Amino acid sequence: MPHPLPDKRKKINVLQLLPNLVTISAICAGLSAIRFGYEGNFELAVRLVLVACVLDGLDGRLARLTKSESPIGAELDSLADFLNFGVAPVLIMYQWALQDFQSAGWIAVLSYSICCVLRLARFNVDSRMDKEDTGCGYFVGVPSPAGAVLVLLPMVISFLFSDLPLAAPSVIAGHVFLVGLLMISRIPTYSFKQLSIDRGNAKFFLLGAGLMAAALLTYLWATLALMTFAYICSLIWAFRSARKSRNTKD
């Protein structure tokens, strides 16, 4: 009696698991950020949130490169985004600055997390309908990784200027609430996925990226603060550009 042929469908290339492994690593970074935040090691906690941001930018690209995109990977990525960008940053902020402003501070934390999950749900639905990226280089609202970096800005400034007095808890709570609103807003934000440059300028772009990486490794908090303020300026510029474009079409 001949032996049945092995079912190749039950086998999977290990490289195809790499995107999911990166996503799980990002989840570990987010959970560890919460742990170190509650232990009072706030600098390490913020660094781990930044690591989660980097890993979040890698997993989708790896999935496309290895042709291993799957519904499970997409759901896993969305759940990781909520943990890493909707839960970890505000729990760290709560432990850092809102302990003496518990009731209102916790309301701000809940508001941010709810806004983040609504943002992710809208993104998932619009992505399936090819609506989230408008095709004009814009997203709708602030993406959740950018929201996480924005909400941690007061901590970054405090690390940069250690002698600077901390802002009042009410100001921190208002900042957290405002960033949450930005995520569910309809304001256009630049989609850097569609960023393109002239082929002749590629060498200058690579040089700039290398210098930026060196600056982040050497002067993390100063570089991160400057990049965050630059992103805030880009929000204003994108809003004006999109509004001008809309008025031109009308």
Side-chain angles (χ1 to χ4, degrees):
M1 182 177 180
H3 294 286
L5 295 174
D7 188 354
K8 294 183 179 179
R9 291 176 298 178
K10 293 182 179 179
K11 295 184 179 181
I12 185 172
N13 192 311
V14 175
L15 286 178
Q16 292 181 301
L17 295 176
L18 187 58
N20 290 343
L21 291 174
V22 171
T23 304
I24 291 172
S25 298
I27 292 174
C28 293
L31 288 172
S32 299
I34 297 173
R35 171 201 164 185
F36 287 112
Y38 272 80
E39 289 179 357
N41 194 344
F42 296 112
E43 289 198 17
L44 180 56
V46 175
R47 290 175 190 269
L48 286 170
V49 172
L50 297 177
V51 169
C53 289
V54 174
L55 294 176
D56 175 69
L58 291 177
D59 57 4
R61 288 165 177 78
L62 285 173
R64 288 187 288 271
L65 285 173
T66 59
K67 298 181 180 180
S68 56
E69 295 169 288
S70 66
I72 292 179
E75 294 300 325
L76 185 62
D77 182 64
S78 185
L79 293 171
D81 286 351
F82 178 58
L83 170 67
N84 296 332
F85 311 132
V87 177
V90 281
L91 288 183
I92 296 168
M93 287 292 292
Y94 182 81
Q95 185 69 15
W96 177 68
L98 300 176
Q99 286 291 299
D100 297 329
F101 201 57
Q102 293 183 354
S103 298
W106 188 245
I107 290 174
V109 168
L110 293 177
S111 299
Y112 174 90
S113 292
I114 292 169
C115 288
C116 184
V117 76
L118 291 174
R119 156 73 196 180
L120 290 169
R122 186 181 71 188
F123 175 82
N124 290 342
V125 172
D126 288 350
S127 294
R128 295 187 185 103
M129 299 174 64
D130 295 327
K131 287 172 57 180
E132 172 61 25
D133 197 323
T134 63
C136 299
Y138 297 104
F139 282 133
V140 179
V142 172
S144 55
V149 176
L150 285 174
V151 85
L152 292 171
L153 180 59
M155 294 185 71
V156 173
I157 294 175
S158 74
F159 299 153
L160 181 59
F161 303 104
S162 56
D163 297 332
L164 194 69
L166 297 181
S170 57
V171 174
I172 300 294
H175 170 77
V176 171
F177 183 74
L178 176 61
V179 174
L181 291 181
L182 287 175
M183 286 194 290
I184 61 170
S185 68
R186 305 297 300 182
I187 65 171
T189 59
Y190 283 117
S191 170
F192 296 104
K193 293 180 180 179
Q194 292 192 356
L195 180 65
S196 60
I197 58 173
D198 293 333
R199 187 176 297 273
N201 295 327
K203 54 183 175 295
F204 300 111
F205 179 81
L206 293 173
L207 176 61
L211 292 175
M212 184 67 69
L216 283 169
L217 292 172
T218 309
Y219 305 105
L220 174 61
W221 307 125
T223 307
L224 185 61
L226 288 174
M227 291 175 64
T228 306
F229 283 119
Y231 181 76
I232 294 172
C233 292
S234 77
L235 296 180
I236 300 171
W237 189 266
F239 177 77
R240 293 182 60 185
S241 299
R243 188 175 180 180
K244 186 182 295 184
S245 177
R246 193 180 304 116
N247 292 336
T248 302
K249 290 180 181 179
D250 293 340

